[in-house]
Structures are given as C-alpha cells and as structure tokens.
Amino acid sequence: MNTHDLIRELREPAKTKIVLLVADGLGGLPLEPGGRTELETASTPNLDTCVRDGVCGLSVPVLPGITPGSGPGHLALFGYDPLEYRIGRGILEALGINFSVGPKDVAIRGNFCTLGPDGKITDRRAGRPTNDKNKAAVEKLRAIKIPGVELFVEPVKEHRFVLVVRGDGLGDKVNDTDPQAVGVAPLTAEGQDAASKKTADVVNRFVAEARKVLAAEGPISGVTLRGFATYPKIAKFADVYGLRAAAIAVYPMYKGLARLVGMDILDPGTTLQGQVDTLKKVWADHDFFFLHFKYTDSTGEDGNFPAKVQMIEKLDAVIPDILKLKPDVFIVTGDHSTPSKLKSHSWHPVPTLLLADTCRVDEVEEFAERACLRGGLGQFQAQHLMLLAMAHAGRLGKYGA
Amino acid sequence: MNTHDLIRELREPAKTKIVLLVADGLGGLPLEPGGRTELETASTPNLDTCVRDGVCGLSVPVLPGITPGSGPGHLALFGYDPLEYRIGRGILEALGINFSVGPKDVAIRGNFCTLGPDGKITDRRAGRPTNDKNKAAVEKLRAIKIPGVELFVEPVKEHRFVLVVRGDGLGDKVNDTDPQAVGVAPLTAEGQDAASKKTADVVNRFVAEARKVLAAEGPISGVTLRGFATYPKIAKFADVYGLRAAAIAVYPMYKGLARLVGMDILDPGTTLQGQVDTLKKVWADHDFFFLHFKYTDSTGEDGNFPAKVQMIEKLDAVIPDILKLKPDVFIVTGDHSTPSKLKSHSWHPVPTLLLADTCRVDEVEEFAERACLRGGLGQFQAQHLMLLAMAHAGRLGKYGA
C-alpha cells in the first residue's frame, strides 16, 4: 500500500503543531582521523537539552551511499519517496529564481553563448557576461513570441537564464541543445513523443529568433538549452497530511520546493531572526512549519569548518525562541550531510532529533552524529520522518482493528 | 526506480580501488549463554585496527530471519536483490564443479540410483558409489546423444553428477524426476510450457538411454534428475558499476558466482597467501577485488568452534599485506553467519567493516558481532553494501540537483 494512501486513511484531526527545522547539509565529518565533526565541535546547549528530553536517530535521505541534491533531500523530509518523485533540472532552476512554475509549464535551463559567423559555438558561456548584460539580453529574448504558447525568460546570473514554455500538451522528452563543446553548432531540439515534439518545435523557433534579436549584443549571440522538465505530478501536503503547512525559508529554491508540495510560502526576510519572528507571527494560522536554514550547507560547501561550526551555534541560539511557542512536535534535521572536509553534499546519514511529549526518550545526551547512533529512532529512511511527526502529534489513528 | 539503473545514472569514473574480503559464514554465536562468539574469541589485532579507523555495522543478507545459501548471500554482497535474482539449484551445482554454464543451458542435478527389474527404485543413492565408480558411470552417460541439443555430464561425488542440456529455446519449468522414495519408479519429466516441454522430452530420452548404457554397472542402474535451472538473466558488474572486477577465490562455487556477474576469474591456487599474492600481482589491472575465504564457513558447518576461531585469526594475519596496497575502500564482511553452535548457515546479521578516508568513523573498537551493533553503518541490507563501496570510493555522483 502506498504510504500516502495509508496516511490519508489514518490521519485524524488534532490541534497540535509541528515544527520541522531543516539545517541544510547538517551532517559532517572530522577533518582529521580521531577528530570531531562540525556538530560535535559546536557548542549547542539548547539542542542538547532537546536531545536529552527527546529521541534521536540518523536519517538516510535516499539509500545508503546515495548523495542527494536539495530536491530529493527535501522531498524525502516532506514524506515523498525521492526515487519515485523526481524534479527535473529545469524546474529546480526555475524554483531557484522564485519563478512560480505550474502544471502547464516546461522549464528549461538556458545558457548564452557566442556563435561564430558560421553558426558554430566559440564560447559556451558568452564570456561570462555581467548580471546586467545578462538582464539586457534576457530583455531582448522577452520580445520573442511563438503562437500557441506563452514564453517566460528570466535571468539567473552570468551566462545563465531560465526559459519557461507554458501551453497545453507540452512534453519534456527533449534533448539538450548544448553540444557541451566549442567548434560545433548548437544541436537541434528533437522530441521523443508527440507532446515533446511540440515543445521541440517551439524551442527551435525560439532559438532561431534569439539569434536574430541578440545579433547586436557582442559576445552574447546565441543560446543553448538543457534540462527540459515538466512540472512534477505530486500530491499536495494538505491532501496527504491534512496539515496547513507554512514554509519559512530565505532562499528561493527551498521556497520553490515547498510550493511544489503546496505549502504556504511566507516572506521572512533574509535573517534567521526574521524567520523566527515570522514563525511567531503566523503560529495561530498553521499546523506545520518548515523552517529552512541554509548556512550549515553553504559553509560546508565552502570547506569552511569553523564557519559551519559557527552557523550551527547561531542556529542553536534561536532554539529557545522556537520552544517558547510550545510546538507539540519539534524536529531538527538536515536534508543531507555536507562535510566541510568534502566541500560537497555527501551520503552520510543525517543527525535528527524529535522532541514531543509522546516520544520515548533515549539515552542520547548530545546532538551529534556519533551520539545519534545510540538514539531511539535508529537509522531510518528520511521519507518516514513525516510519519513519525504525525504520530507524535497525535494525528495518526490506528491501522487495522 | 531500480537501484542498478540509479547506479548506472550516477556512477562516475575514478581511479580508486575497492577490496571486498568475504569471510564466508563469518558471524557466529557463543556456545554457552554469556559466552563469546567465534569472532569475539579470536585475537584480531589487524581487523580491530581497521575497525577503529573505519565504520562498522551488521548486514542483513536477505531479510531478518532468512538464512541464505551461498548464492543469495553473495548476490546480495555484489548488489543484486537476492529475492529478485534467483539462481537455480542445477546452475549452482554446475558452478560448484567449475562447469562454465552459459545462456543456452539448462543445468540439472543428477543422482545415480539402483533400479529393480520392475524399474522401481531400490536405492536412491546407488549404494553411495566411490568417486571412481561415479566417474566410470559418468563416462558411459557421455556416450548418449540426443539430436538438436548438446549434452554435458560431469561427475560431482559419490552418487551425484551434473547434466547440462545446451540448446535453443529450452525451459526449466520441469518437475524433479526423483520421487524421494524407494519402491516406486522415477517420475517422468513434464514441462509446464513449450520451452520446458522441449527440455522434458530431451531428459526423458536421456533417462531411457541411461538405463541402457548403465545396465552392466551393478548398483548403478538408473538416474534421477532434479533442480532444473536455466542460466539467470543478470546484469554484469561492468555494466552496472563500471568496475573492472576480479574474483580471487579458491572454491569453484564462488568463482562460478563471480563469473555469473561478469567478474574476471583468477586462479590464486589453493591458499590464502596465494590469494593475497594474486591480489598484488593484478592490482594495477582492476578496480574491484572480491576475495573469498572459505574456511570460516566450513569450520562453522563442522561445529568446530576452536577451528573457526583459528581460521579468523589466520585471516587477520593477512590483513596488513592487503592494506599495504592502499585500497581506497576496504570492506570485510561475510555472506551470512555460520555459527559453530548451529553447524549450519544462519539468519543472524553479519559483522561488517568499511575502511576509507571518506568514512564517518564510529566508536566501535573491536571487530565482533555485538561491538558492530554500535557501528555507523547500523544494520543494513547486504544488497546496499555496493552502494556504500561506490560512494566511499568517490564513484557515485549526486542524485538530483
């Protein structure tokens, strides 16, 4: 039986509130053999208090050994099987710039490139234009009209932009037109089925028009397209869990992922304090709150161990403010590990704590990777976390008589 | 999504080397309540050093409570779902005598039996003939020809032999002809589908001819057949993992299992030292090395606790030689447990250690069943071990953006 159908069958109304605090890339590694991880190094008195009163474990985002991107990592935390629900690259790119994609859209990653007089690519990144030049070129592309569809062109940065084609019956089984090489012409888009042929036809016309309107732009003289992706068919949070969910995230990508599953997207500004203030403000209006903290990941990606430690401590400092609201279930976890040592996402399981009156407290006393190994949640699939959240919130009835 | 497809999608080339050392039947049990297991009893200073620098856990070969044979046990370690990929008994028997089965083969286990003048079985094992008598009888069977197929008859030992029928369009849905009783005639082979009817027709003619050619052999006067099995459809190691894999095993069964998944089969002689020397010799030519050590299983099967302890210590002694080669990932595990106390394979999870620069070191200090319970790999499905091996070897890219 499908887990979502099971939840729909068992869920019960309750007045309880769940806070899911995601410290992006939370898990880490020691820099040296015998050393401590970032989380083990950080002073986290508030998280440690939660751990002592709660239950801990380590979540496996996808499968052992699989390193997730932000998409699969968050989908799993939201209770969606990350191997079943895949979000295409074009959609993720659109989410990342806060473009509100919808079910009739095909989203595509675009690159500006430089073409020689023979139409062959001489620079795949058009000399890495400034963001201002990018915006100017995007403005020209916005003049292009193709009958039967709506086109949206949005700047990303440097040579990158997003193209969204909106219309009926568009498919995404279209090859990248970026040949990944210079000295050759961009590839023609071809669709693998009728719907995708329609998309291919639109973008081929777009690419031809783009060459005309960009002609005067100097190094920006053409475009390549890749990562064609339709809007994923995904059940909404309210439908599956019966929860009124709010996303309190700073970065567009995470707002976008939350929007995909139907959360209300709030605007907390750009600071952690702003996020906590927003949480307080909307506390009465929602049942579920997804708070996303980016900087544990970005400092890990930078390979900046002390900065990641500092970000963990910064997060720890706001925990009391969150607890003052008395959430019935308070979860702290990550969407994946980002060890400073590796300067990238990794496959290592993610420390997780769950605090609730109904939890079976274990003997873990510190929020850290190795300590969590002794936790009562064991090592569990991240996609099961929402089941635990719902259960501890008194929102799941008995299965079978 | 199928795990092999996922690996094909995510795998990345790397110059890293992986050693998978399988101590057959590694896990054990104490003989007395409160006692120590074989592994807990053995002095394993070298394995313990690996454990302190690595990460440990316990692998579940098939499912909790399921005792695997050698086939499923190894398939799981090689990353194949042992419930999806089944290797028929005839094929395993053929692998066990180093017969090189192929995709057009149906392999069948044969027993010599004694038939009375009325054609009824009087001894299902033909008086347990010597191996020499077995070979002589097999020689007679080799004279049998059936048009349209090739037949191979190979001695095993005592009353046992292997029959391989090679031809186009042969099925294996054929009943055993061994009635598992004396005083009744062997059963006629019947096929459940067209392909299997073809096989049944061939073997019925073979059985009739066998009676004629064996008539003068005294107690060996007939044959029964069982375990009909076609060659399994199984993706090859190079195709799934992109690894050049070498099997360094002494026993034919394990060479055969490795050949099934497409590893290069090396001939290390019959000693553990010969295996380690072979590993050194071919180190440059492969990315993945499967070393198989049989005697932890056979001593367990014999119920010889001290001998199993000794074999574990013998294995421990060669670890430094393996580590001198500086494998990027070094794994020690078993295909199942074989507790001396039970004198058989068992379902108990198998101690596993993984040593790599990228592993998250846990607090385990001793390679042993109970110590591994505190390990960072937790209890995991054996079929996920190759994912962990690939990840720690830097051979798996990120899933999703």
Side-chain angles (χ1 to χ4, degrees):
Chain A
M1 185 184 194
N2 176 295
T3 308
H4 286 178
D5 286 340
L6 183 65
I7 295 167
R8 286 186 189 98
E9 181 186 322
L10 301 185
R11 76 179 198 228
E12 291 176 347
K15 292 194 168 166
T16 52
K17 295 196 186 279
I18 301 167
V19 173
L20 172 67
L21 172 55
V22 176
D24 205 302
L26 178 63
L29 285 174
L31 289 179
E32 301 294 337
R36 293 161 165 264
T37 67
E38 297 90 331
L39 191 53
E40 287 169 348
T41 304
S43 165
T44 54
N46 299 307
L47 288 165
D48 294 348
T49 300
C50 295
V51 161
R52 281 192 287 274
D53 298 339
V55 60
C56 286
L58 289 152
S59 76
V60 177
V62 181
L63 279 176
I66 299 296
T67 298
S70 301
H74 278 84
L75 282 191
L77 292 178
F78 298 159
Y80 298 80
D81 179 350
L83 291 172
E84 182 183 341
Y85 295 93
R86 300 192 71 163
I87 302 176
R89 297 206 155 247
I91 293 288
L92 269 180
E93 192 88 350
L95 297 179
I97 55 163
N98 218 9
F99 184 89
S100 188
V101 280
K104 289 180 162 193
D105 294 350
V106 175
I108 308 154
R109 302 165 79 183
N111 280 356
F112 289 115
C113 63
T114 310
L115 300 174
D118 54 359
K120 291 180 180 168
I121 298 173
T122 58
D123 185 334
R124 289 180 54 236
R125 297 182 185 84
R128 288 196 185 271
T130 62
N131 293 344
D132 282 347
K133 286 194 175 163
N134 177 318
K135 281 182 189 162
V138 161
E139 209 49 63
K140 298 209 164 194
L141 295 183
R142 284 178 171 163
I144 300 171
K145 306 288 171 205
I146 312 278
V149 296
E150 262 188 291
L151 295 179
F152 302 86
V153 192
E154 299 291 336
V156 180
K157 62 178 184 178
E158 297 180 340
H159 55 286
R160 290 160 48 207
F161 65 91
V162 166
L163 169 64
V164 174
V165 184
R166 182 170 295 168
D168 292 316
L170 297 170
D172 64 358
K173 291 187 177 56
V174 179
N175 61 287
D176 293 355
T177 72
D178 183 350
Q180 303 271 354
V182 294
V184 292
L187 305 172
T188 300
E190 286 172 32
Q192 281 178 35
D193 51 34
S196 303
K197 278 188 211 300
K198 186 173 170 188
T199 308
D201 180 51
V202 168
V203 301
N204 285 329
R205 293 168 70 180
F206 175 83
V207 168
E209 292 298 317
R211 271 194 79 172
K212 292 182 203 164
V213 301
L214 293 174
E217 284 297 314
I220 298 182
S221 51
V223 301
T224 58
L225 302 174
R226 61 208 172 98
F228 290 74
T230 48
Y231 189 77
K233 283 187 187 63
I234 195 164
K236 300 301 179 193
F237 227 69
D239 163 45
V240 176
Y241 301 108
L243 292 168
R244 298 168 300 165
I248 307 177
V250 170
Y251 277 62
M253 165 83 83
Y254 310 96
K255 293 182 179 178
L257 285 164
R259 191 187 292 115
L260 267 188
V261 299
M263 294 190 199
D264 294 335
I265 311 303
L266 307 180
D267 185 5
T270 58
T271 65
L272 184 55
Q273 193 54 53
Q275 290 178 274
V276 175
D277 293 344
T278 303
L279 179 68
K280 286 182 203 166
K281 211 179 300 168
V282 301
W283 187 249
D285 310 329
H286 296 82
D287 313 304
F288 179 92
F289 305 86
F290 159 52
L291 268 85
H292 179 265
F293 183 63
K294 174 69 179 170
Y295 303 102
T296 33
D297 176 63
S298 46
T299 48
E301 293 256 17
D302 291 344
N304 193 336
F305 190 104
K308 186 170 172 188
V309 170
Q310 212 175 6
M311 287 303 144
I312 294 168
E313 293 179 347
K314 192 174 161 187
L315 188 67
D316 185 75
V318 302
I319 302 298
D321 272 359
I322 298 174
L323 293 179
K324 272 183 206 147
L325 295 166
K326 302 194 185 303
D328 299 278
V329 178
F330 178 49
I331 294 170
V332 184
T333 187
D335 54 339
H336 52 75
S337 292
T338 305
S340 312
K341 177 179 170 168
L342 302 182
K343 298 186 183 179
S344 66
H345 293 196
S346 81
W347 62 90
H348 301 88
V350 186
T352 302
L353 79 82
L354 186 155
L355 179 65
D357 275 351
T358 49
C359 75
R360 183 188 281 161
V361 180
D362 55 32
E363 291 171 343
V364 183
E365 305 214 319
E366 180 201 1
F367 194 43
E369 292 83 353
R370 282 179 281 198
C372 282
L373 279 175
R374 299 190 301 275
L377 301 178
Q379 296 205 33
F380 62 95
Q381 289 183 57
Q383 62 177 295
H384 291 156
L385 185 64
M386 277 302 298
L387 287 170
L388 290 165
M390 292 284 285
H392 283 89
R395 287 177 171 270
L396 276 186
K398 190 160 61 176
Y399 172 63
Chain B
M1 182 181 197
N2 175 295
T3 308
H4 285 179
D5 286 340
L6 182 64
I7 296 167
R8 285 186 190 97
E9 180 185 323
L10 301 184
R11 75 179 198 226
E12 290 177 347
K15 292 193 168 166
T16 51
K17 295 195 187 278
I18 301 168
V19 173
L20 172 67
L21 172 55
V22 177
D24 205 301
L26 178 63
L29 286 174
L31 290 179
E32 301 294 336
R36 290 161 167 266
T37 67
E38 298 90 330
L39 191 53
E40 286 168 350
T41 304
S43 165
T44 54
N46 298 306
L47 288 165
D48 294 347
T49 299
C50 294
V51 161
R52 281 192 286 273
D53 297 340
V55 60
C56 287
L58 290 152
S59 77
V60 176
V62 181
L63 281 176
I66 299 297
T67 298
S70 300
H74 277 84
L75 282 191
L77 292 178
F78 298 158
Y80 298 80
D81 180 350
L83 292 171
E84 182 183 343
Y85 294 93
R86 302 191 71 163
I87 302 176
R89 298 213 147 242
I91 294 288
L92 269 181
E93 191 87 348
L95 296 179
I97 57 163
N98 218 11
F99 184 88
S100 188
V101 280
K104 290 179 160 194
D105 295 350
V106 176
I108 308 154
R109 303 165 81 185
N111 280 356
F112 290 116
C113 64
T114 310
L115 299 174
D118 55 357
K120 290 181 178 164
I121 298 173
T122 58
D123 186 334
R124 289 180 53 238
R125 297 181 185 84
R128 287 196 186 271
T130 62
N131 292 345
D132 282 348
K133 286 194 174 164
N134 177 317
K135 280 181 189 162
V138 161
E139 210 51 62
K140 298 209 164 196
L141 295 184
R142 285 177 171 165
I144 300 171
K145 306 289 174 207
I146 311 278
V149 296
E150 263 188 291
L151 296 178
F152 302 87
V153 192
E154 299 292 336
V156 181
K157 63 178 186 178
E158 298 179 340
H159 57 287
R160 288 159 51 204
F161 66 91
V162 166
L163 169 65
V164 175
V165 184
R166 183 169 294 168
D168 292 316
L170 297 170
D172 64 0
K173 291 190 176 56
V174 178
N175 60 288
D176 294 354
T177 73
D178 182 350
Q180 302 270 354
V182 294
V184 293
L187 304 173
T188 300
E190 285 173 35
Q192 280 180 35
D193 51 34
S196 303
K197 279 188 210 301
K198 185 173 171 186
T199 307
D201 181 49
V202 168
V203 301
N204 285 329
R205 292 169 69 181
F206 175 83
V207 169
E209 292 297 317
R211 272 192 79 171
K212 292 182 202 162
V213 301
L214 293 174
E217 285 296 315
I220 298 182
S221 51
V223 301
T224 57
L225 303 174
R226 61 211 172 98
F228 289 73
T230 48
Y231 190 77
K233 282 187 188 63
I234 195 162
K236 299 302 178 194
F237 226 68
D239 163 45
V240 176
Y241 302 108
L243 292 169
R244 299 168 301 166
I248 307 178
V250 170
Y251 278 62
M253 165 82 85
Y254 310 95
K255 292 182 179 179
L257 285 164
R259 192 187 291 115
L260 267 188
V261 299
M263 294 190 198
D264 293 335
I265 311 304
L266 307 180
D267 184 5
T270 59
T271 65
L272 184 54
Q273 192 54 53
Q275 291 179 272
V276 174
D277 292 343
T278 302
L279 179 67
K280 285 182 204 168
K281 212 178 302 167
V282 302
W283 188 249
D285 310 328
H286 296 82
D287 313 304
F288 180 92
F289 306 86
F290 158 52
L291 269 86
H292 180 266
F293 183 63
K294 174 68 180 171
Y295 302 103
T296 32
D297 176 63
S298 45
T299 49
E301 293 257 17
D302 291 344
N304 193 336
F305 190 103
K308 186 170 173 188
V309 170
Q310 214 174 5
M311 288 303 145
I312 293 168
E313 292 179 348
K314 192 174 161 185
L315 188 67
D316 185 74
V318 303
I319 302 299
D321 272 358
I322 298 174
L323 293 180
K324 272 184 206 144
L325 295 166
K326 301 194 185 302
D328 298 278
V329 178
F330 178 49
I331 294 171
V332 184
T333 187
D335 54 339
H336 52 75
S337 293
T338 305
S340 312
K341 177 178 173 171
L342 302 182
K343 298 187 184 178
S344 68
H345 294 197
S346 80
W347 61 91
H348 301 88
V350 185
T352 302
L353 78 82
L354 187 155
L355 181 64
D357 273 352
T358 50
C359 74
R360 184 187 278 162
V361 180
D362 54 33
E363 291 170 343
V364 183
E365 304 214 321
E366 180 201 359
F367 194 43
E369 290 84 351
R370 281 176 281 195
C372 283
L373 281 174
R374 300 190 301 274
L377 300 178
Q379 296 204 32
F380 62 95
Q381 291 181 58
Q383 63 177 296
H384 291 155
L385 185 63
M386 278 300 299
L387 287 171
L388 290 165
M390 293 283 286
H392 284 88
R395 287 178 171 270
L396 277 185
K398 192 160 63 174
Y399 172 64

